[in-house]
Structure formats: C-alpha cells, structure tokens
Amino acid sequence: MSETEIKSIQWFPGHMAKTRRAIKENLSLVDAVVEIIDARIPLSSQNPEMGKMTAGKPRLFVLNKRDMADSTVTDRWISWFRSKGIAAVSMDCKTGKGMKSFTSVLENQVLKDLLETRRAKGMSGTPTRIMIVGIPNVGKSSFINRMSGSKKARVEDRPGVTRTKQWVKLGDRIEMLDMPGVLWPKFDDQGVARRLAFTGAIKDDILDTETLAMLLLEYLAENYPEMLKSRYKMDTSAEMKGPELLELLGRKRGMLISGGEVDTERAAIMLLDEFRAGKIGCISLEIPEDEQNG
C-alpha cells in the first residue's frame, strides 16, 4: 500500500445534475444505452449511477482507448464482462480499431430480440436509436465522430466539453444521441478518484499535481518498471516511494533549479502529460476485480 498521501478528491460541477435529468428525460427515445469507458480503468471510469438512471434499457460497454492500455489486461476485461453476461467490446476511436465489432455486438446481441420483432412486424426500416453516455474525457465525441465518419461532435482533450445533446446518424440504420459527460456527486473510493485523475477525467486544478505524480510513479515502479527504464532511464524497485521516484525522474530529465534541486512540479506535469498521451507505453491501471480479490 502506498505511503504517499493525497488529499480527498471531490467533484461538484454544476452542469452534472442537469445532465442526469436529461438522460432520464430522453431515455424513452432510445432502444439501448452505450456507455463509453476507459480501457485503462474499466471499473473506475463507469458511472455507478448509470445503471439506475438507464434502468430497463439494454446496455453495451465500449472499452475505448485500448491502444493506450495493456492489451493482455484488456482481453481479460472483455472476458470478465462477458462472464457476467454483460455485452462489451474494445476499440480505439482515434484509429478505428474495433469499429466492426461494435455494430455486430449491438445488432446481433444487445438488440437481437428487438430487431427480430421489428422484422416480423415489417418494421425493419426503423432506425435503431442509441444513447451514448460516459464520464468526461473517455472519448465519447471521438467515438461518435469515428462511427459516423464526420466531425459533428466536438472533440477536445479535457473534461467537460460536450454540454448539449445532439443526434448523429450512423449510416441508415443507427442514430446516436450524444449526452454530455457526467460524473457522480462525490467519490467514496479515493482509489477511484486517483485513477480518474491519472487519466485526466478530473480537472487538474482541484488536485495536488506532485502528489498525484508520485502515486502514479509508485504504481508504475511496481507494475511497469521496464517502461520507466525505457522512457526515462530510471532504475526503480517496487519498494521505492513517490518522493524518491519523482526526484529521480526530475534528475534524469535534467529538471534542476538553483542549488541543484529538482523542479518536482515541472517533473510531475511532464509525467502526467506523457502518461495521458500514451508516450510511456500501453498501461492498465486496473485488473478485473475477481483477480484483484483472488
């Protein structure tokens, strides 16, 4: 367990309550709900309120950003979801990898019964309508743009950009309703909060950046030491603590200030930026909970 301490992270953006109401109000317009989650943190990037908010509608999870995650871990996640009877696919919305599997699973599994009923009634031409939901910065807009082949949904690498609902067509068969990103009112599990902070789902201005970087370095030193060595020429061990690791990182990158001290703030910002850009390597921050508990 890490000895590095971080203050409790809370999140109270004003537009979130409005989004929750909008989801409930528009639920009757759609046939299914697609929740975009981050392949690096498939549990932490799920909104625990979403199941209740979308009750009664079939759901499909899309593990986005799979090219930034550890592929072997992502494969285990897909198996984990399916073992629990939950439809899930992985894809990378920026490159389009995994696109075909999304449509196939949506039509042949998630909405199979509905589509068969429509065909029997002579309604096969009725478009399938799906609601796209997810927390900020998991790639909802990138998903919609990639699937529709357009740039209708605004894309920006920071949380809270999509603020209004919009319908986007996916060919002649599917219409997607894009909802703004929504988190939940508070974090009871600070581990979840930290993982969301690592990936940029929470704005950095409510965090202590250096402490966050120390926690990330501790995780990487324990689970992906070879990547730290390859990227930063750092020789680490699982026993090294955050302050020591951050100081070592700063020295390796020559981030020194007067007196030869390390500019740890600059080193922390660099580390988080490079992690979020996928420059350190393909890293997963969670493994399936059955394995965690085992």
Side-chain angles (χ1 to χ4, degrees), residues 27 36 48 62 76 115 139 148 150 182 222 233 253 255 274:
L27 196 61
I36 312 297
V62 173
R76 299 209 306 263
L115 296 180
S148 65
S150 69
V182 57
E222 181 177 356
K233 307 298 185 290
R253 280 299 173 97
M255 296 178 173
E274 294 204 347

Side-chain angles (χ1 to χ4, degrees), residues 46-270:
Q46 291 180 41
N47 187 330
E49 297 182 349
M50 195 59 69
K52 186 183 297 184
M53 286 191 287
T54 61
K57 295 292 180 180
R59 292 172 76 193
L60 170 59
F61 285 99
V62 173
L63 282 69
N64 187 29
K65 304 187 181 183
R66 76 176 195 185
D67 281 12
M68 300 177 72
D70 186 327
S71 60
T72 58
V73 176
T74 299
D75 288 343
R76 299 209 306 263
W77 272 114
I78 295 297
S79 297
W80 181 86
F81 277 109
R82 290 175 180 170
S83 72
K84 296 184 177 300
I86 302 170
V89 297
S90 68
M91 65 184 295
D92 183 73
C93 297
K94 289 188 176 180
T95 64
K97 293 179 181 177
M99 282 178 60
K100 293 180 180 178
S101 63
F102 169 79
T103 305
S104 175
V105 171
L106 178 68
E107 295 185 338
N108 299 322
Q109 294 182 36
V110 179
L111 293 175
K112 181 180 179 181
D113 292 343
L114 173 66
L115 296 180
E116 287 180 350
T117 299
R118 284 181 177 173
R119 280 193 288 270
K121 294 181 177 180
M123 299 170 59
S124 56
T126 303
T128 297
R129 293 186 133 191
I130 57 176
M131 180 182 288
I132 310 299
V133 299
I135 68 172
N137 214 31
V138 291
K140 292 192 316 306
S141 295
S142 296
F143 169 80
I144 289 172
N145 292 341
R146 171 62 63 176
M147 296 302 294
S148 65
S150 69
K151 292 187 177 180
K152 292 184 178 180
R154 186 180 175 193
V155 177
E156 201 165 319
D157 189 22
R158 62 183 177 88
V161 171
T162 305
R163 295 295 178 91
T164 58
K165 69 176 183 179
Q166 54 183 323
W167 287 97
V168 182
K169 285 191 175 183
L170 172 55
D172 296 326
R173 302 201 311 265
I174 300 174
E175 295 179 357
M176 301 177 288
L177 175 59
D178 183 21
M179 302 300 292
V182 57
L183 281 165
W184 47 106
K186 68 176 182 177
F187 298 114
D188 294 321
D189 184 340
Q190 288 298 302
V192 169
R194 286 195 293 270
R195 287 186 284 275
L196 289 170
F198 290 153
T199 59
I202 301 173
K203 294 180 181 179
D204 285 339
D205 57 12
I206 67 170
L207 307 171
D208 180 90
T209 305
E210 291 174 63
T211 308
L212 188 64
M214 291 178 193
L215 288 164
L216 179 57
L217 281 168
E218 288 179 356
Y219 180 86
L220 296 178
E222 181 177 356
N223 297 279
Y224 296 96
E226 72 286 351
M227 292 187 184
L228 287 177
K229 184 175 181 64
S230 176
R231 181 71 182 174
Y232 303 115
K233 307 298 185 290
M234 292 173 61
D235 290 311
T236 64
S237 69
E239 292 73 32
M240 294 175 70
K241 300 306 175 186
E244 181 184 3
L245 290 164
L246 187 58
E247 176 119 352
L248 177 60
L249 173 62
R251 290 196 181 282
K252 288 293 184 180
R253 280 299 173 97
M255 296 178 173
L256 305 178
I257 52 180
S258 59
E261 291 184 22
V262 174
D263 187 342
T264 51
E265 181 180 8
R266 184 180 165 203
I269 293 171
M270 181 271 297

